[in-house]
Amino acid sequence: MLFSFKNLFSGLKKNIQESLPDIEERLLSGDVGPVVTKELCDLIKQSDLKTPEEIQSFVERQVEQWVTPQTSFNLPTHRPFVFFFIGVNGSGKTTTIAKMVHWLGQQGLKSLLVAGDTFRAAAVEQLKIWAERLNADFVGGAPGSDPASVVFNGIQAGKSRQVDAVLVDTSGRLQTKTPLMEELKKVHRAGVKSAGKDLDQIFLVLDATTGQNGLSQVIHFKEALPLTGLILTKYDGASRGGFVMRAVRETGLPLRFVGVGEQVADLQIFDPAKFSKNLF
Ligand SMILES: Nc1nc2c(ncn2[C@@H]2O[C@H](COP(=O)(O)OP(=O)(O)OP(=O)(O)O)[C@@H](O)[C@H]2O)c(=O)[nH]1
Ligand SMILES: [Mg+2]
């Protein structure tokens, strides 16, 4: 049976302190990992809470506290600011960029999209179509061209065209494929060089339906680049997302946005209280 946080506390003994070994086992099978599991069980053990309902609201509040970012998300004041979107294949990078253009547009900000995914012709085309639809500027290169130079040129164009935001799409890549991760570092270096400073945001885009592998993605991408935040997509389906709590708790990276559908309006600022309520 697939673990769900929804039934974390169901079918346990009336005095839940006696059920701690069961809770521990359920948490471990739910992608929460040993560190967070131990922390939660220790907290329950030290508390004088007894019933499943009491423990549940206690755990919800604890998780909410853990996933609440240390700093709130503010748009930079300088122009243009540069956001990078990275992640594994199909995690939702390109769609998230489209949503971000829409979100920024609602605040009166103009975006330029950079097709740093030169790997597939269809990827360049997909981003270009979004740019046209959303009235954003666009910079791309020929399919198969050097993504680092496309990104360099794109950021330069963002400066000269005086847009507010430069949003850089990158090819999906497996976090364990060293040559592809090296290429990503090179693309990032080109971006920093072109911007003349650190990039304003480097978002790792994660698919909420991913299990354990999600944590591995966070760890490997964080090793490669100075990530600034996480975006969780496909949070609208029957998603699990337990790994995200673990990733946030263990890496300290803030979860910033949540994608809840395929439409441009389906991007929400991450809400810790809602997240922890939904989890259980
Ligand atoms: N339901 C749902 N679907 C989403 C969401 N975000 C993205 N998708 C879908 O997921 C699929 C992949 O999205 P893309 O944005 O192309 O993913 P990507 O990371 O750019 O993929 P690659 O460029 O191939 O690595 C598409 O069918 C999207 O419509 C979301 O929040 N909810
Ligand atoms: Mg893409």
Side-chain angles (χ1 to χ4, degrees):
M1 190 188 73
L2 208 76
F3 170 86
S4 159
F5 289 97
K6 307 268 182 222
N7 53 33
L8 178 57
F9 300 109
S10 63
L12 295 172
K13 298 198 175 71
K14 254 211 142 36
N15 184 338
I16 213 155
Q17 297 286 352
E18 293 166 22
S19 298
L20 268 175
D22 289 335
I23 296 178
E24 192 172 346
E25 205 181 303
R26 291 180 190 192
L27 282 170
L28 281 174
S29 66
D31 300 331
V32 172
V35 177
V36 173
T37 296
K38 183 170 186 315
E39 266 183 289
L40 275 178
C41 288
D42 284 352
L43 283 166
I44 296 174
K45 213 179 292 174
Q46 288 154 21
S47 74
D48 50 11
L49 303 167
K50 287 195 181 62
T51 68
E53 295 74 26
E54 283 173 343
I55 305 272
Q56 170 149 355
S57 73
F58 173 80
V59 170
E60 272 176 19
R61 267 179 312 184
Q62 187 58 55
V63 168
E64 179 186 336
Q65 201 184 318
W66 281 344
V67 296
T68 299
Q70 303 279 308
T71 57
S72 58
F73 181 79
N74 293 311
L75 288 174
T77 49
H78 58 269
R79 298 287 181 266
F81 52 80
V82 182
F83 290 176
F84 247 51
F85 297 80
I86 65 175
V88 298
N89 309 70
S91 65
K93 297 173 293 299
T94 306
T95 312
T96 300
I97 289 175
K99 293 173 183 174
M100 188 67 78
V101 174
H102 177 77
W103 185 72
L104 293 169
Q106 287 180 320
Q107 301 169 69
L109 302 178
K110 169 97 177 164
S111 298
L112 179 146
L113 306 190
V114 183
D117 182 355
T118 57
F119 203 59
R120 296 175 298 124
V124 182
E125 199 50 34
Q126 185 191 2
L127 195 70
K128 196 170 177 188
I129 290 168
W130 277 122
E132 280 161 12
R133 207 181 287 171
L134 295 164
N135 193 27
D137 275 35
F138 175 83
V139 170
S145 60
D146 176 20
S149 81
V150 173
V151 168
F152 187 91
N153 294 338
I155 295 174
Q156 291 300 307
K159 287 180 176 176
S160 62
R161 295 185 205 171
Q162 301 190 328
V163 298
D164 298 295
V166 176
L167 309 180
V168 179
D169 197 11
T170 60
S171 303
R173 69 200 74 225
L174 272 181
Q175 74 275 19
T176 48
K177 288 267 187 281
T178 309
L180 295 180
M181 295 304 275
E182 288 303 317
E183 185 211 50
L184 183 63
K185 290 186 196 170
K186 191 177 153 217
V187 172
H188 172 252
R189 281 196 298 272
V192 172
K193 195 170 167 203
S194 186
K197 59 192 275 304
D198 285 346
L199 303 180
D200 295 287
Q201 291 287 338
I202 302 173
F203 288 122
L204 176 62
V205 179
L206 297 162
D207 179 336
T209 61
T210 314
Q212 276 297 351
N213 191 260
L215 182 74
S216 155
Q217 291 170 25
V218 177
I219 290 168
H220 282 88
F221 277 101
K222 186 170 183 271
E223 245 164 46
L225 293 195
L227 289 184
T228 60
L230 308 175
I231 294 179
L232 189 61
T233 63
K234 310 183 197 181
Y235 199 54
D236 45 309
S239 48
R240 305 173 70 184
F243 79 90
V244 183
M245 168 173 55
R246 179 175 180 191
V248 168
R249 182 68 185 148
E250 291 186 19
T251 65
L253 282 167
L255 180 53
R256 292 303 190 188
F257 292 92
V258 178
V260 292
E262 298 182 86
Q263 306 303 315
V264 288
D266 294 331
L267 185 71
Q268 301 174 350
I269 293 203
F270 171 61
D271 178 341
K274 208 163 129 190
F275 177 85
S276 87
K277 264 225 146 351
N278 278 344
L279 205 54
F280 298 101

